[in-house]
């Protein structure tokens, strides 16, 4: 990796860049979204006005890259990094939220096995991990949610 590459800045930028795309893909119409910023693990509970929501859905999408720097320009980041990371998560959330009243997302808690830079999507329970190794870079998207 080049000396000018800053993985923390890159992952923070990707999280900010991904948020509008996530909201446009998700299109919550019938369900209300509640974000809980307290870090949590699958099985955590959230007490919404409508009732007790168990945050038992956790999905991870892992993308491997030889050299991620070539995809960090805004036009390429959306096509090669953001959309491939978001689409499987949005599909899973969309199927789960059909016919439901509330979607609760919570910031996934850090784990001892985490490596690299960590970024969080503002106001949504999704985090990104960017692990830069000499031979390979791994971009991981994680989301924790529950529905009622």
């Amino acid at each position: 990796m080049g000396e000018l590459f800053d993985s923390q800045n890159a992952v923070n930028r990707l999280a900010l860049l991904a948020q509008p795309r996530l909201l446009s893909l998700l299109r919550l119409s019938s369900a209300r979204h509640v974000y809980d910023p307290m870090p949590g693990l699958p099985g955590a509970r959230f007490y919404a006005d409508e009732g007790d929501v168990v945050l038992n859905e956790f999905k991870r999408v892992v993308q491997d890259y030889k050299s991620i720097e070539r995809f960090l320009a805004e036009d390429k980041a959306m096509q090669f990094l953001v959309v491939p990371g978001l689409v499987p998560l949005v599909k899973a959330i969309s199927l789960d939220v059909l016919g439901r009243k509330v979607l609760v997302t919570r910031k996934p808690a850090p784990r001892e096995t985490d490596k690299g830079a960590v970024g969080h999507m503002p106001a949504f329970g999704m985090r990104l991990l960017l692990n830069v190794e000499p031979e390979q870079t791994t971009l991981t998207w994680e989301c924790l949610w529950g529905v009622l």
Side-chain angles (χ1 to χ4, degrees):
M1 292 282 135
E3 288 186 35
L4 297 177
F5 182 76
D6 181 349
S7 58
Q8 188 61 57
N9 282 340
V11 78
N12 289 342
R13 190 173 145 277
L14 287 172
L16 289 174
L17 188 63
Q19 186 178 22
R21 185 68 176 147
L22 168 73
L23 298 176
S24 73
L25 288 171
L26 196 54
R27 292 187 302 235
L28 294 173
S29 55
S30 61
R32 171 174 81 92
H33 174 244
V34 177
Y35 169 64
D36 184 359
M38 181 170 46
L41 297 170
R45 294 186 173 278
F46 181 84
Y47 301 99
D49 295 338
E50 295 84 354
D52 186 19
V53 180
V54 179
L55 300 156
N56 57 0
E57 297 297 329
F58 180 80
K59 186 161 178 75
R60 178 180 296 136
V61 175
V62 179
Q63 300 164 279
D64 295 322
Y65 297 92
K66 186 83 170 160
S67 173
I68 199 167
E69 292 109 326
R70 60 192 168 136
F71 299 117
L72 289 175
E74 192 166 336
D75 58 331
K76 289 184 178 182
M78 208 44 119
Q79 181 180 359
F80 295 105
L81 303 175
V82 173
V83 172
L86 284 180
V87 167
L89 294 171
V90 168
K91 186 175 180 179
I93 294 168
S94 295
L95 290 173
D96 223 21
V97 80
L98 279 177
R100 304 300 182 106
K101 297 181 275 184
V102 180
L103 165 68
V104 177
T105 62
R106 179 178 276 182
K107 182 188 290 189
R111 293 180 311 275
E112 288 182 22
T113 58
D114 290 348
K115 294 180 183 178
V118 178
H120 295 276
M121 191 170 293
F124 205 89
M126 190 174 294
R127 76 177 188 154
L128 288 79
L129 293 99
L130 183 60
N131 184 27
V132 179
E133 298 288 332
E135 292 298 316
Q136 183 174 343
T137 299
T138 304
L139 177 61
T140 305
W141 300 74
E142 296 178 339
C143 190
L144 175 63
W145 77 91
V147 293
L148 179 69

